[in-house]
Amino acid sequence: MTAYASYPSLRGRSVLVSGGATGLGAEFVSQFAAQGASVAFVDVQDAAGEALAAETGAVFRRVDVSDLEAYAAAIADLAAATGPFTVLVNNAANDARHRSAEVTPAFWDERMRVNLDHHFFATQAVVPMMRAAGGGSVINLGSISTHIKLRDLVVYRTAKAAIEGLTRALAQELGPDGIRVNCIVPGWVMTARQLEHWVDAEAEATIEREQALSRRLVPADVARMALWLAADDSAACTAQSWVVDGGWM
Ligand SMILES: NC(=O)c1ccc[n+]([C@@H]2O[C@H](COP(=O)([O-])OP(=O)(O)OC[C@H]3O[C@@H](n4cnc5c(N)ncnc54)[C@H](O)[C@@H]3O)[C@@H](O)[C@H]2O)c1
């Protein structure tokens, strides 16, 4: 039987997850809640968000994270409900494919808002809470797509590359306050959305060829890395990218 770690330092810790209603985000919400953390999450999918809140006891708020003012206001409200956040998981994203020739300035801005900007502004909103608590952990979500050959994803890949730079810059700036900033770089994870849209027979063959491990990655694999980065067990780790990709090469 496989058994996984539990982290005493996560008990009662206040955690915010963006894009928490489905996919990896939902697994983060479930796993942090199972560790006894006090979890809040935001998303644009009402039904999935409400169902997950009922199942886990986490607090859900419908917010579009690309509306930066609404998101900042929601963070303040949610912190009043769950306690000041000392863990932030910047997870919301949109990986819909796009052809470079068809990218307009408006599309570029919209995709940067949903894939990049909120990472910075949510961090800005929680930093005073983390400072007051004597420290915290910010966990950004990068992507293997920045590092491998993929088509029709230039804007998304650019945003995900920027998140790795943002991680290092914020880690330097916030380190003196005991605030750690790390980036998880997932490989190809079999979420419902990936299975529905992209994982066909050809993709299966690619995974089999490129991944060192033959097993398929599942959201829980990535969530376990997030737990560790949020817990005191990783207290000396900041400014890094943590790759969970099954050994893609
Ligand atoms: N699944 C993978 O294989 C994979 C690989 C590399 C990186 N990632 C990264 O991991 C994170 C989670 O990926 P996922 O596969 O679960 O994504 P997903 O698309 O399945 O889920 C994203 C969640 O964010 C929400 N969301 C989207 N736009 C939003 C908005 N404007 N405001 C609020 N919520 C919004 C969605 O409703 C959804 O619940 C993302 O940052 C993604 O880039 C995933």
Side-chain angles (χ1 to χ4, degrees), residues 18-26 28 42-45 48 61-67 90-96 110 113-115 118-119 140-145 156 160 163 184-194 217 219 222 244:
S18 67
T22 69
L24 297 185
F28 297 150
V42 298
D43 205 290
V44 286
Q45 296 193 50
R61 177 73 58 89
R62 184 190 206 287
V63 182
D64 178 343
V65 297
S66 58
D67 181 344
N90 287 317
N91 168 77
N94 183 341
D95 70 348
E110 185 263 317
R113 285 242 163 171
V114 76
N115 287 315
H118 66 91
H119 286 242
N140 293 322
L141 268 294
S143 171
I144 193 177
S145 66
Y156 173 85
K160 290 292 175 184
I163 287 166
I184 299 179
V185 179
W188 203 345
V189 187
M190 303 296 106
T191 59
R193 177 177 156 85
Q194 295 299 315
L217 305 186
V222 184
V244 184

Side-chain angles (χ1 to χ4, degrees), residues 2-167:
T2 313
Y4 297 107
S6 59
Y7 296 95
S9 62
L10 292 181
R11 221 169 288 138
R13 198 160 277 187
S14 192
V15 177
L16 174 64
V17 179
S18 67
T22 69
L24 297 185
E27 188 68 22
F28 297 150
V29 169
S30 298
Q31 289 216 16
F32 276 108
Q35 295 279 337
S38 181
V39 184
F41 67 105
V42 298
D43 205 290
V44 286
Q45 296 193 50
D46 287 319
E50 276 154 23
L52 185 65
E55 185 189 317
T56 60
V59 179
F60 167 62
R61 177 73 58 89
R62 184 190 206 287
V63 182
D64 178 343
V65 297
S66 58
D67 181 344
L68 296 170
E69 283 180 11
Y71 188 24
I75 290 173
D77 278 1
L78 288 166
T82 62
F85 296 114
T86 53
V87 177
L88 168 66
V89 186
N90 287 317
N91 168 77
N94 183 341
D95 70 348
R97 301 323 191 238
H98 45 268
R99 290 186 182 278
S100 290
E102 289 158 15
V103 170
T104 60
F107 179 88
W108 178 276
D109 287 347
E110 185 263 317
R111 284 307 155 93
M112 285 296 166
R113 285 242 163 171
V114 76
N115 287 315
L116 174 64
D117 299 6
H118 66 91
H119 286 242
F120 175 81
F121 288 100
T123 305
Q124 186 188 59
V126 301
V127 157
M129 304 179 202
M130 292 182 173
R131 269 199 193 116
S137 175
V138 177
I139 300 165
N140 293 322
L141 268 294
S143 171
I144 193 177
S145 66
T146 293
H147 302 277
I148 66 174
K149 287 192 261 179
L150 279 177
R151 305 191 71 79
D152 299 335
L153 265 178
V154 167
V155 186
Y156 173 85
R157 293 173 71 188
T158 303
K160 290 292 175 184
I163 287 166
E164 293 188 35
L166 176 70
T167 297

Side-chain angles (χ1 to χ4, degrees), residues 217-236:
L217 305 186
V218 294
D221 293 319
V222 184
R224 282 191 280 274
M225 174 63 83
L227 295 181
W228 181 75
L229 286 171
D232 291 351
D233 299 62
S234 60

